[in-house]
Amino acid sequence: MTADAVQVMDENENWPTQGAYEFAEFYNSREQIVTFDQMDAEVMTRNYDFVVIGAGPVGAALAFRIAKDHPDRSILLVEKNWNEPDRFVGELMQPAGCQALERLGLGSVFKGIGGVPVHGYYVAYKGKHIYIPYMKEPGSEKRFKGVSFHHGRLVMQIRAAAKSRPNITCLEASVTELIADYALVNGEQTMTTVRGVRIGPVHSKPEGDKSYAVMPKLTLVCDGITSQFRKILNEKPIHLLSHFCALLIEHEPVRSSEFFDGPEGATTHVATPQSPDVNPLPMPHNGHVLLDGVGPLLLYQLSETETRVLADIPGSSLPSDASGKLRTILRSSLANAAPKDRYPGLNALLLDTIDKSKRIRVIGNKFIPAVNNRINGAVWIGDALNVRHPLTGGGMTVGHWDCVLFADLLKEFNYDDPRDMQRLKAKWYWQRRPRALVVNALSVSLHALFAAESKELGLLREACFVYLGRGGRATMDPSGFLSGLVAKPHMLFYHFFAVAFLAVQLRISGTSTAYKGGNLLYRIFTAFYTLWVAACVLVPNMWAELHP
């Protein structure tokens, strides 16, 4: 079977990854972009209805949807660099994220970027594996699908859509501050109303910069995970949970149906290629989570011939690469997560790639809960509002549903009226909360289990693996959480504690391989202490998302 035949076999009818994109002509075009030096009086003084800070996957999508819904309204979309970004996060869109893009008018955004449909997750632990397919569509035997891709290509596709709208002004510049009113609250100067933004050049100059004030009716802060304005809204401390170290492995495309036989057949048809030259993944066109390393090891395809590897290093501090310690830890983690006797081709390719890599790319993984926004004149959306661990790949799903819900509500409320906008924001905040809570709390809690640092967490990880392998709702409801399709916090609570009680059972019965030893009385004590540890993992994370 040829690579072309595989693409036909695996074509996603709902979210096609092949074909022509309707806004393709704007992909690399800079004709629609105004630079800071080109700002003239017309750009500076126009009475914009909206200023969107950040043209990433969330900001550009939101600008496009608002421009489409309100063609008589003007939007200024500000981004520091409109060239294709080179990032190794935001490379997998969950099925619920695909749904959100469809609602935003961007359902065809994956066409022409060489993305790969994703059917579910292959999870391996202690020589065993389970397969977690995505849920079936209501009333159909077809399953929902996600897509994995090069992040920069997706961003450029969404930006292309934004550039196509005549009522969007695309500006390459930097927003240096929010122009706002302040009031004395509890003895401190507190921002109460955002009036506009101050715009300066991308790169500051030693002799001083000129800047311009733009005063829209509403400012939308969408500047992502490194948001410079998040602290204005959320002063809570940022929790650095771990670091992802990124590698890119290259291989031949899928050339045999034994490697992939659809989401049903993939439960038994697992590829174990001997050669690293062929696609080395046990289940191509699926996400992979290997749990026997220092932290979880993630693998997903960016194209038919490229696979991203993300190795998690738990903890807030990262060993030095210059001293060689980081590379030593990574090599050991890769070898343990993908042992040679089980994954010969993958093992060889991973170790060869780490040995030949001149630089290891690293990003810190954070958890930043959302807070209710009571500042008039501005809305924080996407990662600018809250951030979760990227383990489950749910960031863009949350961000794009933020856009969908906000854009829908924008049709109902008068954003010229501050009181109406406060009602809009309050309603939006409560509407976004269930899905955001499930995705965010799940990501942080799963990371705690998968990067187990204690016997109790190790026991919970083992119980989680056993539970997910039971099939039925024990498999498919968690699949719904991972995919963002099931936005029901009470169900997350139920299944998490079902895992916790399974851990109690494994410990008391003495059948656990992760927590061995002790007489019956000691096993009972440690089992119920594990239940307490489980509560300490999930409940604070859920409370952080519930608390305004």
Side-chain angles (χ1 to χ4, degrees):
M1 182 178 290
T2 65
D4 290 339
V6 169
Q7 289 179 352
V8 173
M9 176 190 76
D10 201 34
E11 182 67 20
N12 188 330
E13 295 179 4
N14 293 323
W15 317 110
T17 58
Q18 307 297 326
Y21 180 49
E22 59 187 308
F23 304 115
E25 62 183 290
F26 298 99
Y27 187 96
N28 285 317
S29 174
R30 289 188 62 89
E31 292 182 11
Q32 300 78 23
I33 300 171
V34 179
T35 67
F36 179 81
D37 293 335
Q38 294 171 333
M39 288 183 71
D40 54 23
E42 194 276 332
V43 174
M44 292 161 43
T45 59
R46 185 185 302 177
N47 293 321
Y48 292 99
D49 294 285
F50 304 91
V51 166
V52 181
I53 304 174
V58 170
L62 181 60
F64 172 78
R65 168 67 189 274
I66 293 175
K68 188 177 179 181
D69 288 348
H70 308 274
D72 57 331
R73 302 295 186 177
S74 59
I75 302 167
L76 180 64
L77 179 58
V78 188
E79 171 60 43
K80 292 180 180 179
N81 187 344
W82 283 81
N83 296 325
E84 185 172 318
D86 180 19
R87 298 182 63 200
F88 63 85
V89 293
E91 296 174 324
L92 189 149
M93 186 72 71
Q94 298 287 3
C98 295
Q99 287 183 331
L101 285 171
E102 181 74 15
R103 292 273 298 271
L104 291 169
L106 295 165
S108 61
V109 75
F110 301 110
K111 287 186 176 181
I113 62 173
V116 176
V118 177
H119 298 275
Y121 286 92
Y122 169 94
V123 185
Y125 175 63
K126 290 189 176 181
K128 299 179 181 179
H129 78 267
I130 54 176
Y131 180 62
I132 307 173
Y134 287 136
M135 304 173 67
K136 290 181 179 179
E137 299 178 19
S140 171
E141 289 301 309
K142 294 181 180 179
R143 293 187 182 275
F144 289 101
K145 296 182 183 181
V147 184
S148 55
F149 43 81
H150 283 273
H151 173 83
R153 295 176 188 173
L154 179 75
V155 171
M156 294 300 283
Q157 293 279 76
I158 299 176
R159 287 178 179 176
K163 286 187 281 186
S164 73
R165 302 301 304 184
N167 54 332
I168 296 180
T169 300
C170 301
L171 176 63
E172 189 170 72
S174 176
V175 176
T176 59
E177 68 172 306
L178 301 180
I179 301 171
D181 295 338
Y182 292 82
L184 197 63
V185 178
N186 297 326
E188 295 184 3
Q189 288 291 327
T190 302
M191 183 181 291
T192 57
T193 304
V194 173
R195 300 294 182 185
V197 298
R198 185 162 299 280
I199 296 175
V202 175
H203 303 290
S204 60
K205 302 173 183 178
E207 64 271 18
D209 298 318
K210 62 179 179 180
S211 62
Y212 304 103
V214 177
M215 313 297 280
K217 296 177 181 177
L218 186 63
T219 299
L220 303 172
V221 183
C222 306
D223 54 345
I225 192 171
T226 58
S227 173
Q228 68 185 99
F229 301 113
R230 185 190 294 114
K231 286 185 177 180
I232 295 172
L233 181 67
N234 187 352
E235 297 180 349
K236 296 180 181 178
I238 296 175
H239 303 290
L240 189 60
L241 303 174
S242 68
H243 293 82
F244 266 155
C245 299
L247 301 172
L248 182 66
I249 58 178
E250 299 180 354
H251 47 74
E252 290 297 313
V254 180
R255 294 195 183 279
S256 173
S257 60
E258 70 175 305
F259 287 10
F260 179 79
D261 197 19
E264 298 293 345
T267 57
T268 55
H269 294 283
V270 179
T272 55
Q274 299 292 320
S275 169
D277 295 328
V278 298
N279 191 315
L281 299 176
M283 290 186 184
H285 297 196
N286 286 278
H288 293 69
V289 184
L290 310 182
L291 297 177
D292 293 312
V294 173
L297 181 69
L298 308 184
L299 302 99
Y300 50 86
Q301 291 175 257
L302 302 183
S303 68
E304 288 289 355
T305 60
E306 300 165 293
T307 291
R308 172 69 71 201
V309 180
L310 296 178
D312 186 80
I313 305 295
S316 58
S317 61
L318 189 71
S320 168
D321 187 27
S323 67
K325 187 175 181 181
L326 175 61
R327 201 169 293 257
T328 299
I329 292 174
L330 275 178
R331 202 177 194 283
S332 174
S333 184
L334 295 175
N336 290 333
K340 186 176 182 179
D341 60 337
R342 185 166 174 81
Y343 311 102
L346 179 59
N347 177 278
L349 188 52
L350 287 173
L351 297 184
D352 183 64
T353 302
I354 189 69
D355 290 341
K356 292 181 178 178
S357 297
K358 295 181 180 179
R359 180 174 69 96
I360 298 174
R361 301 178 66 184
V362 177
I363 188 171
N365 299 323
K366 306 170 183 176
F367 175 49
I368 307 173
V371 297
N372 203 353
N373 174 16
R374 295 180 173 86
I375 300 174
N376 294 319
V379 183
W380 279 252
I381 293 180
D383 283 352
L385 176 66
N386 78 300
V387 178
R388 78 289 310 149
H389 197 285
L391 173 67
T392 57
M396 288 188 296
T397 296
V398 174
H400 284 130
W401 272 104
D402 280 356
C403 296
V404 169
L405 297 173
F406 185 81
D408 286 349
L409 289 172
L410 203 57
K411 296 178 181 180
E412 303 177 15
F413 290 85
N414 178 14
Y415 58 86
D416 291 328
D417 184 348
R419 290 174 297 180
D420 225 24
M421 272 306 302
Q422 284 292 357
R423 289 192 289 270
L424 183 156
K425 288 193 292 185
K427 188 173 182 179
W428 170 75
Y429 186 74
W430 283 98
Q431 284 186 356
R432 74 175 295 278
R433 176 174 283 181
R435 193 184 314 271
L437 187 153
V438 168
V439 173
N440 296 347
L442 179 68
S443 71
V444 180
S445 300
L446 274 187
H447 178 263
L449 269 58
F450 290 173
E453 298 178 352
S454 67
K455 290 182 177 180
E456 291 78 20
L457 289 173
L459 175 59
L460 288 167
R461 175 174 62 185
E462 180 184 29
C464 182
F465 185 81
V466 173
Y467 187 80
L468 291 173
R470 286 181 165 180
R473 291 193 61 183
T475 301
M476 296 318 302
D477 283 354
S479 172
F481 304 146
L482 287 167
S483 61
L485 294 167
V486 177
K488 298 180 179 179
H490 68 279
M491 287 180 60
L492 173 63
F493 187 89
Y494 166 81
H495 283 285
F496 191 88
F497 278 95
V499 169
F501 279 106
L502 176 58
V504 170
Q505 177 186 333
L506 292 174
R507 178 60 179 145
I508 293 177
S509 66
T511 56
S512 170
T513 60
Y515 198 165
K516 301 178 182 178
N519 57 35
L520 178 60
L521 184 61
Y522 181 72
R523 293 201 305 272
I524 292 173
F525 172 79
T526 53
F528 282 97
Y529 178 68
T530 300
L531 192 62
W532 167 254
V533 171
C536 292
V537 168
L538 181 66
V539 173
N541 294 329
M542 294 189 73
W543 177 250
E545 292 291 330
L546 282 170
H547 199 269

